[in-house]
Amino acid sequence: MNPAAHIRNFCIIAHVDHGKSTLADRLLEMTGTVTGRDLHEQTLDQMDLEREKGITIKAKAVRMFYTAADGQTYQLNLIDTPGHVDFGYEVSRALAACEGALLVVDAAQGIEAQTLANTYQALEHNLAIIPVINKIDLPNAQPHVVIQEIERVIGLPAGDCILASAKTGVGTREILEAIVRQVPPPTGDPQAPARAMIFDSHYDPYKGVIAYVRLVDGSLRPNQRVLMMQTGVTADLLEMGVFRPGMSTIDQLHAGEVGYLATGLKSVADCRVGDTVTAAAGPAGEPLPGYGPAKPMVFAGFYPVENNDFPLLRDALDKLKLNDASLVYEPESSAALGFGFRCGFLGLLHMEIVQERLERDYDLNLLATVPSVEYEVFTTKGEILRVDNPADMPSPDRIQEIREPWMEISIVTPSSHIGAIMELVTSRRGEYKKMEYIDEGRVLLQYAVPLSEILVDFYDQLKSRTQGYASLDYSLEGVRPGDLVKLDVLVNNQPVDALSLITHRDKAFYQGRELVQKLRSLIPRQLFEVPIQAAIGSRVIARETVRAMRKDVLAKCYGGDISRKRKLLEKQKEGKSRMKRVGNVEIPQEAFLAVLKL
Amino acid sequence: MRPWSTPRAAYLHIPFCRTKCLYCDFNTYAGKDRLIGEYVAALISEIERRAGEAGKEPLQTVYFGGGTPSLLPLTAVRRLLIALARACDVAPDAEITLEVNPGTFGRHYLEGLRALGVSRLSLGVQSLDDETLRRLARTHDAAGAIAAVGLARDAGIRSINLDLIYGLPWQTVTDWREHLRRALETGPDHVSLYALMIEEGTPLSTLVARGRWSVPDDDAVADMYEAALPVLEGAGLLHYEVSNWARPGHASQHNLTYWRNEAYLGFGAGAHSYVGGRRFWNVKPIEGYIRRVARRADLVGGEELLAPDAQLGETAVLALRLRQEGIDFRRFAERFGVHPLGRWGPALEELAGSGLLTVGGERATLTDAGLLVSNEIGTRFLP
């Protein structure tokens, strides 16, 4: 009999907070993979940040054994998926390694935008979907409303839904049984040359890059020499194993199984996610259909507040990159901020997480510039430039056309908030596409919106205007031409590169005025009057003035006042050393953050 | 001997007041007049004890500050001056200043002071608006203040200073200009203008914090300062220090000691002394001070020792307050062995380029534009 017949590979799709991690914990417990004593909450979420933010950042895979009602023991591989929209790309990688998915929906909250998006992706991958209505123990649970939503919106029969409470353990056995019954066993040729798809990796200082793989065909053994089919890199497998949930070595990986390979490679770039691992001796003819590298969508400059921390920042980024293939960066310099790195991220949360890790794990104090998207700039000379930094935008007379990425966004919200959302999206240049009722009280709204418009503060606004009820998902629609301009800020007649931004012409006037007003209140008074101007090209569209400081000198100064006076000046001097100096103007950090809040 | 290492100025602190003004955070006390006798005795003993600190040069200036020194009986002033003359020697033409509050003295008292050698009176007029004076808990009114100047003149006091405060609650630039004009009509030899500072812990700060009183904002206060400049100049007074104006020959020699950062001795509760790079101050409470003097205990409540670089920076900061004298290159070179152009060349050049300093061959001085930002300019000279 084909041993793969007893393997089930599945993942869990759930909205943030709908209980995915808790459910995973119950599955681990009921299958005896961990005992209740070992289990601390959210076993799968290992990183501090994940625990704090209650989200899963990196996909992981755990092997469990379950003896089903039919008396047979099955190998269940749970491939964890990230729960945030920025990591949609990682979700799709995880889905490609599975044959089934648990769709977990909160019995009180119902379906959210992102759950829908991930479910559609799973359906595209032909995954068997098992709907689980979680948290039925909550007093405000409405499982039957949610079941109807699932039937109406996703088209899964109501009778297939499992009612569960990951908290109390209700429904866990039913879920395990459904996995065995409904998720098809992997298909693949155990006799063919080995082909394993890398769906994730992390760097271990002793074992090198650890590749998380789904073995599709053939088998692999430790000490075997393997070949990465896309990069052409070879490596000797130091070790292989599975996560239970700690790393546990095995001496063979069979077709259909999920596990890890310790490659000894020093760089995740040599062992790319999406690549196919095969045996160096007798390799497979064709790699598996992989996927391209994650494409960064959001760009920002990271600068150390202390200029001499630059080497530290570089080391820290190098180390982060070992475990985060989607992070890209290159050195850049700013007249205002000194030396730093231009970094590319999957999305805003990704950016936030990277910044937080750099600051927390590497004790760096960073200044991040306004996040930007990548623009396609068609010049009058017929070149096409890709610009992800406003500082690199050519002058208006050299530009024929600028194109910017647009996103398709889906918002699920109580219908009472439609007006507020409409207003928000319209103010962000959004274009209405369609509206669909999920049930009597909730709707699914779809819009197209320029990515640049949702980078900053969109999600927060969405949440605050809907009392936290709306959920959001987005995916790239494509690029569209736009009437975009570069807004420059001049402080004391000198352009400050780190304060420039690219915006729509219709908004430039308002934003320019807003920005100079904010800067006026943030830039402390200096020795002299400091004009602050917003300009498009050479045209000044807004101007404010920071008056020279005055009153501080008027205090009397006699014998008993001299010490106090000197100490005041020393403090004043010290305060200045933390500012960035542009020309002869001291600009505090907060000023650079002001552009983020426009 | 050099004036930065040998003190030629003495300050005597008289920490008594009839009432405590609402804005005042000085080391002064109301309702302790009964201690005046004991305090004067303690001061005399302190002067005797510290005779050795004075060096061989006679004192060129003596300053009775407060508080309200005019609460001292003439006999007390006399005994204190005698003690100083014995302990430190006082030059025959020394400038002897006494701070007085209008309403605390009569003609006879002033004549007595003059006879004792007091050559300068500093009148705490503060405002010529009765409503303001009442609100601030001053014990005199505008008419009393004007009368006090007349008394001083009649008594033949050589030099008369008026202290005025601006930036007072509800004050406008127009009010201020008017009050200043009226004050100048009395023909003072010297004027000190003080921007009202809302000091923590004063009743005024509480009133302002609670929104009961409104004071002009920083810009309005600076506007008042600027409005005062032409008025004072028009009255023939030379703006010789950031907050001080004088007719020729009437600059305060005692205060110049502070602005030149030269040595001085301070006697009395909380008084500061500065000798040879060491700045120290006596304990502040009157009773504690008296007790320590009586027990011959250490009077020092705190001190700081300034490294040469800090002394240099501090001296430059203070020197810039002097509008005509400024940072005198030769004086600095002689005192510190450092030429200001060598030490601060680029900063001086930049500040001159921005129109904030005038840098010549002998000195660097603040321009009018630099005046209101002199603190910020000062930070450039600190180590």
Side-chain angles (χ1 to χ4, degrees):
Chain A
M1 195 186 91
N2 182 357
H6 285 87
I7 298 174
R8 301 289 183 271
N9 296 319
F10 71 103
C11 60
I12 305 177
I13 295 170
H15 187 72
V16 176
D17 286 341
H18 281 198
K20 182 181 71 171
S21 298
T22 319
L23 178 60
D25 289 348
R26 288 295 91 73
L27 298 177
L28 294 174
E29 215 172 35
M30 184 157 279
T31 56
T33 314
V34 293
T35 60
R37 199 157 42 90
D38 296 338
L39 186 76
H40 52 318
E41 248 188 274
Q42 303 190 3
T43 306
L44 287 182
D45 294 348
Q46 287 165 356
M47 288 186 268
D48 280 356
L49 272 174
E50 291 185 12
R51 276 175 201 279
E52 271 172 37
K53 292 193 188 265
I55 51 168
T56 310
I57 298 166
K58 298 216 59 143
K60 285 185 214 71
V62 182
R63 179 181 287 192
M64 299 173 270
F65 288 102
Y66 174 64
T67 305
D70 63 9
Q72 315 244 9
T73 299
Y74 293 85
Q75 179 199 116
L76 309 184
N77 291 306
L78 165 58
I79 295 165
D80 200 13
T81 53
H84 189 276
V85 62
D86 275 359
F87 300 94
Y89 169 79
E90 295 199 9
V91 173
S92 80
R93 296 184 336 207
L95 294 177
C98 301
E99 282 80 31
L102 299 178
L103 166 63
V104 177
V105 182
D106 184 308
Q109 310 279 332
I111 293 177
E112 302 289 4
Q114 207 188 310
T115 338
L116 269 181
N118 288 345
T119 307
Y120 292 140
Q121 261 198 58
L123 288 168
E124 277 169 32
H125 282 82
N126 290 317
L127 264 54
I129 295 182
I130 301 166
V132 175
I133 316 296
N134 191 22
K135 305 196 188 181
I136 55 163
D137 58 309
L138 289 181
N140 58 341
Q142 292 184 292
H144 291 94
V145 174
V146 177
I147 288 172
Q148 279 169 21
E149 277 184 16
I150 290 175
E151 191 169 51
R152 180 171 350 172
V153 182
I154 305 174
L156 297 172
D160 287 1
C161 290
I162 298 171
L163 298 182
S165 164
K167 195 171 146 206
T168 64
V170 170
T172 312
R173 186 162 298 280
E174 287 77 359
I175 293 168
L176 287 165
E177 287 296 327
I179 292 168
V180 169
R181 271 198 325 272
Q182 295 177 32
V183 177
T187 53
D189 185 351
Q191 308 308 325
R195 289 201 296 175
M197 187 185 56
I198 305 174
F199 63 87
D200 203 351
S201 64
H202 83 263
Y203 180 78
D204 178 288
Y206 301 106
K207 298 171 189 166
V209 177
I210 309 285
Y212 299 26
V213 298
R214 157 73 191 268
L215 189 58
V216 176
D217 297 323
S219 64
L220 287 171
R221 284 182 169 280
N223 301 320
Q224 197 173 342
R225 191 166 186 76
V226 292
L227 167 73
M228 313 295 154
M229 294 184 76
Q230 280 173 25
T231 59
V233 172
T234 58
D236 291 315
L237 293 183
L238 303 178
E239 182 185 309
M240 66 175 57
V242 293
F243 298 94
R244 298 187 44 78
M247 288 166 100
S248 159
T249 56
I250 52 172
D251 57 9
Q252 192 169 8
L253 203 57
H254 300 280
E257 288 184 329
V258 173
Y260 72 82
L261 307 174
T263 61
L265 293 171
K266 290 295 166 222
S267 159
V268 279
D270 292 336
C271 189
R272 281 212 298 261
V273 168
D275 202 346
T276 301
V277 184
T278 190
E286 285 291 315
L288 294 163
Y291 22 70
K295 198 172 166 294
M297 304 277 275
V298 176
F299 302 82
F302 277 4
Y303 290 85
V305 170
E306 306 296 338
N307 283 332
N308 37 12
D309 280 351
F310 177 79
L312 267 177
L313 174 59
R314 188 183 46 218
D315 290 353
L317 281 167
D318 288 348
K319 281 184 189 142
L320 266 193
K321 173 82 181 171
L322 290 177
N323 276 322
D324 187 349
S326 50
L327 171 67
V328 297
Y329 53 92
E330 56 183 36
E332 72 169 5
S333 69
S334 148
L337 304 177
F339 290 101
F341 288 93
R342 192 80 192 161
C343 304
F345 310 96
L346 298 173
L348 271 186
L349 180 80
H350 187 211
M351 169 171 161
E352 202 180 301
I353 288 169
V354 170
Q355 180 169 6
E356 223 170 303
R357 277 207 189 129
L358 290 171
E359 296 199 324
R360 185 184 303 195
D361 300 348
Y362 298 94
D363 199 22
L364 284 161
N365 196 359
L366 295 180
L367 213 157
T369 64
V370 198
S372 169
V373 301
E374 187 178 75
Y375 297 93
E376 286 176 16
V377 180
F378 294 75
T379 67
T380 46
K381 284 188 181 158
E383 309 148 290
I384 304 174
L385 309 173
R386 293 186 185 282
V387 174
D388 63 41
N389 184 348
D392 300 333
M393 187 62 81
S395 62
D397 55 300
R398 285 185 51 213
I399 297 173
Q400 182 86 41
E401 183 175 279
I402 302 177
R403 294 184 190 172
E404 62 178 330
W406 278 63
M407 306 302 279
E408 200 172 273
I409 67 168
S410 306
I411 297 169
V412 172
T413 177
S415 45
S416 53
H417 296 302
I418 293 174
I421 290 173
M422 216 50 128
E423 199 183 285
L424 172 65
V425 178
T426 313
S427 75
R428 305 294 178 108
R429 297 195 277 137
E431 209 177 81
Y432 171 79
K433 289 219 153 152
K434 69 172 184 185
M435 179 164 83
E436 195 180 310
Y437 270 85
I438 294 178
D439 57 43
E440 298 82 63
R442 300 206 312 149
V443 292
L444 168 67
L445 291 162
Q446 286 182 321
Y447 297 91
V449 183
L451 174 58
S452 64
E453 294 282 350
I454 58 172
L455 280 189
V456 177
D457 203 33
F458 181 79
Y459 189 66
D460 290 347
Q461 282 291 326
L462 182 68
K463 283 289 182 189
S464 78
R465 290 182 191 208
T466 60
Q467 275 111 51
Y469 280 116
S471 65
L472 171 73
D473 185 70
Y474 48 81
S475 57
L476 186 66
E477 182 212 64
V479 293
R480 298 191 194 182
D483 189 5
L484 302 169
V485 293
K486 179 183 169 199
L487 186 66
D488 285 315
V489 173
L490 292 87
V491 174
N492 207 24
N493 303 313
Q494 295 215 35
V496 182
D497 53 6
L499 292 175
S500 295
L501 59 126
I502 292 165
T503 185
H504 194 266
R505 191 181 299 277
D506 294 346
K507 292 185 148 189
F509 183 76
Y510 164 78
Q511 288 188 321
R513 206 176 42 200
E514 188 88 334
L515 185 52
V516 295
Q517 277 170 5
K518 273 193 186 155
L519 290 172
R520 188 197 55 184
S521 64
L522 289 169
I523 294 178
R525 293 177 163 212
Q526 320 262 330
L527 290 178
F528 35 80
E529 201 172 85
V530 177
I532 302 170
Q533 296 157 301
I536 299 169
S538 57
R539 194 164 71 94
V540 173
I541 58 168
R543 182 193 158 106
E544 289 282 342
T545 305
V546 179
R547 296 181 67 179
M549 54 173 122
R550 314 204 292 168
K551 180 180 174 188
D552 67 335
V553 308
L554 298 173
K556 69 183 175 69
C557 185
Y558 297 103
D561 308 314
I562 296 172
S563 294
R564 184 159 100 152
K565 180 87 177 178
R566 191 192 66 248
K567 281 170 190 156
L568 178 88
L569 298 195
E570 280 168 353
K571 218 169 129 192
Q572 193 165 327
K573 182 169 178 157
E574 197 186 300
K576 285 195 330 185
S577 67
R578 283 190 57 78
M579 293 191 203
K580 294 285 180 183
R581 207 172 148 93
V582 175
N584 49 359
V585 178
E586 317 283 349
I587 301 180
Q589 279 187 54
E590 297 77 51
F592 295 101
L593 302 179
V595 272
L596 297 172
K597 302 269 151 111
L598 274 185
Chain B
M1 284 299 282
R2 300 163 310 174
W4 51 86
S5 49
T6 304
R8 292 177 197 172
Y11 175 85
L12 279 72
H13 189 63
I14 312 299
F16 302 97
C17 279
R18 287 264 169 83
T19 58
K20 183 107 177 164
C21 303
L22 256 48
Y23 52 83
C24 177
D25 76 331
F26 296 167
N27 186 32
T28 64
Y29 306 87
K32 295 200 172 182
D33 291 8
R34 66 196 146 76
L35 294 174
I36 290 180
E38 276 180 77
Y39 183 78
V40 169
L43 258 181
I44 290 168
S45 278
E46 185 194 359
I47 291 167
E48 287 165 353
R49 260 171 75 175
R50 293 178 59 193
E53 292 175 32
K56 292 202 170 61
E57 300 272 323
L59 295 173
Q60 298 296 326
T61 69
V62 176
Y63 195 104
F64 291 83
T68 309
S70 47
L71 292 179
L72 292 179
L74 283 173
T75 49
V77 178
R78 191 171 136 265
R79 286 168 59 212
L80 288 165
L81 285 172
I82 290 170
L84 273 176
R86 279 206 192 120
C88 314
D89 195 10
V90 178
D93 58 346
E95 174 194 272
I96 300 178
T97 307
L98 197 111
E99 288 180 349
V100 300
N101 274 336
T104 56
F105 54 85
R107 178 172 177 155
H108 168 75
Y109 184 77
L110 297 188
E111 282 171 351
L113 289 179
R114 198 209 57 203
L116 291 172
V118 171
S119 57
R120 191 169 179 271
L121 280 188
S122 179
L123 266 76
V125 171
Q126 318 311 3
S127 172
L128 284 180
D129 180 58
D130 285 342
E131 176 60 21
T132 302
L133 289 168
R134 191 185 55 74
R135 264 198 214 117
L136 294 175
R138 297 289 300 176
T139 52
H140 60 91
D141 58 13
I146 292 168
V149 182
L151 284 178
R153 279 270 173 260
D154 294 348
I157 301 287
R158 178 182 176 269
S159 204
I160 296 169
N161 168 59
L162 302 186
D163 278 352
L164 295 170
I165 302 182
Y166 58 100
L168 291 164
W170 294 288
Q171 194 175 38
T172 65
V173 174
T174 318
D175 298 338
W176 160 238
R177 206 185 272 121
E178 181 50 31
H179 293 151
L180 177 61
R181 248 187 219 120
R182 281 175 58 199
L184 293 178
E185 278 167 15
T186 64
D189 305 295
H190 189 285
V191 172
S192 299
L193 298 191
Y194 300 118
L196 181 68
M197 299 287 158
I198 311 293
E199 303 289 355
E200 243 175 89
T202 59
L204 180 62
S205 81
T206 312
L207 287 165
V208 171
R210 287 190 188 147
R212 300 276 299 280
W213 282 21
S214 92
V215 287
D217 65 18
D218 289 2
D219 275 329
V221 174
D223 288 344
M224 289 181 195
Y225 178 78
E226 289 189 317
L229 302 179
V231 178
L232 290 152
E233 195 186 353
L237 291 156
L238 176 69
H239 192 188
Y240 75 102
E241 194 265 353
V242 172
S243 309
N244 288 276
W245 287 256
R247 291 203 292 112
H250 287 269
S252 165
Q253 297 303 311
H254 182 82
N255 290 336
L256 281 169
T257 307
Y258 300 139
W259 300 320
R260 290 179 181 146
N261 211 16
E262 293 176 346
Y264 52 89
L265 295 176
F267 301 101
H272 284 230
S273 301
Y274 180 59
V275 181
R278 173 176 179 248
R279 185 170 288 116
F280 56 99
W281 45 94
N282 287 345
V283 292
K284 283 173 96 170
I286 297 176
E287 295 85 347
Y289 168 78
I290 292 173
R291 206 165 43 236
R292 285 187 191 219
V293 173
R295 289 204 310 244
R296 305 198 65 76
D298 188 3
L299 297 175
V300 174
E303 68 169 339
E304 58 181 17
L305 283 165
L306 295 166
D309 261 8
Q311 290 180 43
L312 178 64
E314 196 182 79
T315 306
V317 166
L318 291 166
L320 284 173
R321 297 185 71 90
L322 295 169
R323 303 239 29 215
Q324 292 78 35
E325 188 170 306
I327 297 177
D328 182 316
F329 297 159
R330 209 172 58 195
R331 201 193 288 259
F332 269 67
E334 187 189 345
R335 175 166 172 186
F336 296 105
V338 167
H339 197 285
L341 286 176
R343 171 61 64 104
W344 298 304
L348 289 170
E349 198 175 313
E350 186 200 324
L351 291 163
S354 312
L356 300 172
L357 284 187
T358 304
V359 180
E362 291 172 15
R363 62 189 75 250
T365 54
L366 286 179
T367 62
D368 286 352
L371 191 57
L372 273 167
V373 295
S374 58
N375 271 2
E376 187 55 32
I377 294 172
T379 62
R380 308 282 174 93
F381 296 90
L382 293 181

